[in-house]
Amino acid sequence: MSGGTDGWSAVPAREPGQVVDPSLGQEARRTPAPSADGDAHGRVHGRPAPQYGEYAPDGWVNPVLVEQERLEHEERSRAAGERETRDHPARDRDPRAGAQRPGPATDGGTARPTPLAGRFGRTPLDFVLTVGLLVIGLWSVVESLAVGTTASTIRTLVERQYTELSDPAALSTAVLVRAVVLVVVFVLVAWWSIRRLRARRWTFWVPLVGGVVASVLGIVPVMVVLFQDPAFTAYVQRMAAGG
């Protein structure tokens, strides 16, 4: 049959751009060109665009939201840690366990200062011995500063055991030199001992060695004066000759 003048036809009228696909038994339509009522993507004005993941299948999770939640959780954790640090600035905590780490000397949560014997020297005994020997050395140095008394004591000892001196006043000069030597040696020994104590090394032997050195160096000026005294020299010669 063919179309007539009245507009009737055996073939249904098709829209422009409509193509019949015989293999599918149905018509295939082209996407109509954008009209004045739609945008460049063919979307009708007034209808909102679908949100990201709006037509996703069941069980689908938006990775953007997951990342946002993770960042928010980290931010809350960081803020809580900062508040905890501000509230308890003096609390010493173990970062691995997240609990308070006990101090070296605590009693009921109250920290006690560590004794000096535990902080200096190789052992507490080493510290005590070193300090004790230094105190003895200091006492000897203080006594040596009494030049007149020390010179008188040495003169009395020499005259009782040996002979009278021709120039007893020379002993005062010798004793003064001896006092200066003892002061210098003690200062060096104390400085070295403190350094070794702070380094937690064995130190008790340092004052012992210092005492021996001070004794040897301190007696040298006295012996020089004695052996220059004519009376004492004559006494030594008589004793050496056996009479």
Side-chain angles (χ1 to χ4, degrees), residues 135-206:
V135 171
I136 295 175
L138 179 61
W139 180 260
S140 300
V141 171
V142 172
E143 285 187 339
S144 69
L145 296 178
V147 177
T149 302
T150 304
S152 176
T153 302
I154 295 177
R155 176 185 176 182
T156 302
L157 179 64
V158 171
E159 291 181 347
R160 285 181 179 179
Q161 294 186 359
Y162 306 106
T163 185
E164 293 185 0
L165 300 175
S166 301
D167 187 12
L171 283 176
S172 298
T173 304
V175 171
L176 178 61
V177 175
R178 173 180 177 269
V180 173
V181 170
L182 293 182
V183 170
V184 173
V185 173
F186 177 80
V187 170
L188 294 176
V189 170
W191 170 76
W192 193 17
S193 299
I194 292 173
R195 290 197 60 177
R196 293 184 64 88
L197 286 174
R198 295 181 63 180
R200 303 184 66 86
R201 302 173 65 183
W202 290 107
T203 312
F204 72 93
W205 60 269
V206 175

Side-chain angles (χ1 to χ4, degrees), residues 15-112:
E15 298 177 359
Q18 181 177 2
V19 180
V20 177
D21 189 353
S23 62
L24 299 178
Q26 57 184 353
E27 296 179 349
R29 295 180 179 230
R30 297 180 182 175
T31 302
S35 62
D37 297 333
D39 57 11
H41 300 285
R43 185 179 299 117
V44 180
H45 289 290
R47 181 178 182 182
Q51 298 296 326
Y52 180 74
E54 181 178 352
Y55 298 115
D58 295 338
W60 180 84
V61 179
N62 190 342
V64 177
L65 296 180
V66 173
E67 181 67 16
Q68 291 179 352
E69 292 179 357
R70 185 184 67 82
L71 294 176
E72 292 176 358
H73 178 72
E74 291 182 354
E75 185 65 24
R76 288 194 298 268
S77 301
R78 187 182 305 108
E82 293 176 354
R83 288 194 301 270
E84 181 71 16
T85 303
R86 290 194 302 268
D87 295 341
H88 306 283
R91 181 174 298 177
D92 185 16
R93 292 183 173 272
D94 189 346
R96 295 172 299 177
Q100 185 175 1
R101 184 169 44 203
T106 57
D107 184 10
T110 303
R112 294 178 299 179

